[in-house]
Amino acid sequence: MISIRRRLLMGTVLAVALSSAVASGAAWFSVRVHLIAAADTDLQADAQRLLSQLRRRGEDLHWAGMGMGMGNATAPSLDGWWVVVDSRGSMRLSSADGAAFAQAGDGPVDMPDGKPGRIGHATGTVTSVGGRGRWDTETPSGNDTFTCLVGRADTALHSTLRAVAWALGTATAVAAILAGFAALVLVRTVIRPVDRIAQAIAASKPEDDRIAVDADSVPRELRGIVERADAFLAAAHDLLQRERRTAGNIAHELRTPLAGLAATIDHALARERAGAEYRQALVRSRAVVTDTIHMVERLLLLTRLESGREPARRENINIETALMAALAGVSAEARQRGIMLPDALKIPPHHVVGDPDHLGLILRNLLDNAVSHATDGAAVTVVCEQYGADGSLCIANPAPTLSPDQVAHLAEPFWRGDGGRGATGRHAGLGLALCRRLASLNGWELVCT
């Protein structure tokens, strides 16, 4: 693709050359029309001057003060050829070779010498005189009308037009050359800020949150590029920081259960044990592996949600059915710790539109968090309310160790209020983050209070 420099340079030179050529052509045409009109005016003036010098005595014509008739060659000097014809078209007087264009009209015509020229004419009556120079008192008739045609080669006219054409052509070429130099300087001046922005962008590092160019120091037309580049770099910087934090959190979350798994295996291998003890170690190891797999699956789901690759179906869901399935998943742990769970059958039936798998995952995560973080012997409550086409589902558990400031961070990935990390990787701080994103994907809202 042609560079911007070359485009601007070629475009400027071409525009100046074309405009100069059009202007020169218009100027040449105007000069040509003016010179031709001036030449025709001069010819008509010469023809009128000759006609005014003609006198008539009877049927004879002669020049004023000269008593000569047909074929008179001593007419007033004139640069060119002339001929006089009467109203019947008959030639009455002419210069040498002038009879060749006696029947020609005005405009361009070949002269007797073969060169191109132009003809002008004047038509009028010729004064009649009587004997001894007295004026004839007879009223002029139609036969008294004569036409005088004057022709002249237009060599000088064409020579002048050629000179004007060469001058205008030279001016056009000079203008194009000067425009090329001016465009070269202009292009360098215009492109210099673009080069500076490109160099600043190329020199930017992932750790930078803006390029090394101030938007106020570049032309107004380029400020948008600098601002967009700064915004993109800031977003990339933020994304990089979040990825680094996520990678660090994932590494910590995976290291904790893996370290617990290694400790369990090392303890089992420290000495010879009975088969039952090995089995207990394998069971504990299996639980750690299972929880770690669940954490990895939640991480993958969270990644799909953030990248917009997680589809969501739109179905009519019975909340009672979804809630019963979620309660069944946490009932065993709740019984062990004496935590009271609500009876899903006593909750009025409600319906919601969304993805049933997503709703089930949300309810399981919320109830699992409620049971895990509730004190022993406490009660987990579930309240459903319907408001026309909308409704709400509230799951509550006593959590006296959380402050209001900590509640605001509950739905952040990898955040936990106790600051500790479980040995199994079960609670990695991903459950509520997943719930919030799944709810948003389905058009719902998750609020932690």
Side-chain angles (χ1 to χ4, degrees):
M1 181 178 291
I2 301 177
S3 66
I4 296 179
R5 288 185 179 86
R6 188 172 298 178
R7 287 184 180 182
L8 288 175
L9 184 60
M10 294 176 61
T12 303
V13 173
L14 184 61
V16 171
L18 288 178
S19 60
S20 299
V22 172
S24 298
W28 181 86
F29 182 79
S30 177
V31 170
R32 179 178 180 275
V33 171
H34 176 75
L35 291 178
I36 290 176
D40 290 341
T41 300
D42 290 343
L43 289 173
Q44 290 175 0
D46 289 343
Q48 186 64 44
R49 179 170 59 83
L50 290 179
L51 187 64
S52 65
Q53 294 179 12
L54 284 175
R55 299 291 183 267
R56 177 186 177 194
R57 180 181 292 119
E59 294 297 326
D60 293 333
L61 292 176
H62 63 88
W63 299 110
M66 301 179 184
M68 296 185 180
M70 183 71 176
N72 182 8
T74 61
S77 61
L78 187 70
D79 181 18
W81 296 267
W82 57 268
V83 64
V84 179
V85 297
D86 57 20
S87 60
R88 295 182 296 274
S90 300
M91 184 179 66
R92 304 295 297 273
L93 292 173
S94 71
S95 63
D97 299 330
F101 54 88
Q103 303 300 323
D106 290 348
V109 69
D110 290 337
M111 294 293 102
D113 60 358
K115 297 180 180 180
R118 302 186 68 80
I119 292 179
H121 78 281
T123 301
T125 59
V126 175
T127 302
S128 299
V129 296
R132 298 180 181 180
R134 295 191 302 272
W135 294 101
D136 194 349
T137 58
E138 296 180 0
T139 303
S141 64
N143 295 332
D144 295 328
T145 302
F146 295 87
T147 299
C148 181
L149 292 89
V150 175
R152 186 181 298 119
D154 55 6
T155 304
L157 174 64
H158 288 294
S159 176
T160 302
L161 289 177
R162 283 193 297 270
V164 171
W166 273 105
L168 292 176
T170 303
T172 300
V174 171
I177 295 174
L178 293 178
F181 286 107
L184 185 61
V185 176
L186 179 63
V187 167
R188 288 181 177 178
T189 304
V190 171
I191 296 298
R192 188 176 295 114
V194 179
D195 291 337
R196 189 155 55 94
I197 294 173
Q199 293 171 2
I201 294 176
S204 299
K205 300 178 181 179
E207 293 78 10
D208 299 334
D209 57 357
R210 58 174 300 170
I211 63 176
V213 174
D214 187 4
D216 295 333
S217 65
V218 299
R220 183 174 61 254
E221 293 79 7
L222 299 177
R223 291 178 185 174
I225 298 178
V226 176
E227 293 172 354
R228 298 300 183 278
D230 286 343
F232 177 79
L233 197 58
H237 175 75
D238 181 65
L239 178 61
L240 179 63
Q241 296 300 320
R242 287 193 288 114
E243 287 184 349
R244 287 177 175 176
R245 288 194 300 268
T246 300
N249 287 326
I250 292 175
H252 282 293
E253 296 298 338
L254 290 177
R255 184 179 62 182
T256 300
L258 292 177
L261 178 61
T264 301
I265 296 175
D266 290 340
H267 180 71
L269 296 176
R271 60 180 177 82
E272 292 293 333
R273 300 179 183 273
E277 291 179 326
Y278 282 123
R279 180 176 181 80
Q280 290 177 357
L282 290 175
V283 169
R284 288 195 299 269
S285 299
R286 174 62 179 174
V288 173
V289 172
T290 301
D291 290 336
T292 304
I293 291 174
H294 290 165
M295 183 185 69
V296 173
E297 290 175 349
R298 289 194 294 269
L299 283 171
L300 292 175
L301 177 57
L302 186 61
T303 301
R304 292 198 303 271
L305 288 170
E306 291 183 344
S307 62
R309 294 185 290 109
E310 175 66 18
R313 294 175 293 168
R314 305 294 293 176
E315 298 181 8
N316 194 20
I317 310 170
N318 187 316
I319 294 182
E320 179 185 3
T321 302
L323 189 57
M324 289 179 62
L327 287 170
V330 298
S331 59
E333 182 180 355
R335 283 195 300 269
Q336 291 177 1
R337 299 177 52 199
I339 297 175
M340 296 179 60
L341 295 177
D343 189 351
L345 297 176
K346 295 181 180 180
I347 297 176
H350 291 80
H351 292 81
V352 68
V353 177
D355 192 309
D357 294 336
H358 292 168
L359 179 60
L361 184 56
I362 292 173
L363 292 177
R364 285 195 300 271
N365 279 329
L366 293 177
L367 288 172
D368 183 61
N369 279 343
V371 172
S372 298
H373 298 289
T375 57
D376 294 345
V380 175
T381 60
V382 178
V383 178
C384 288
E385 295 181 349
Q386 191 78 23
Y387 309 102
D390 299 326
S392 66
L393 174 66
C394 178
I395 299 177
N397 69 292
T401 59
L402 290 178
S403 65
D405 293 337
Q406 291 175 321
V407 172
H409 299 283
L410 283 177
E412 295 180 4
F414 301 106
W415 187 90
R416 287 172 302 188
D418 57 4
R421 301 181 185 277
T424 65
R426 178 181 176 187
H427 295 288
L430 295 174
L432 291 179
L434 276 175
C435 291
R436 173 166 288 181
R437 284 165 175 75
L438 287 173
S440 177
L441 179 62
N442 286 271
W444 309 323
E445 184 180 6
L446 177 66
V447 179
C448 299
T449 59

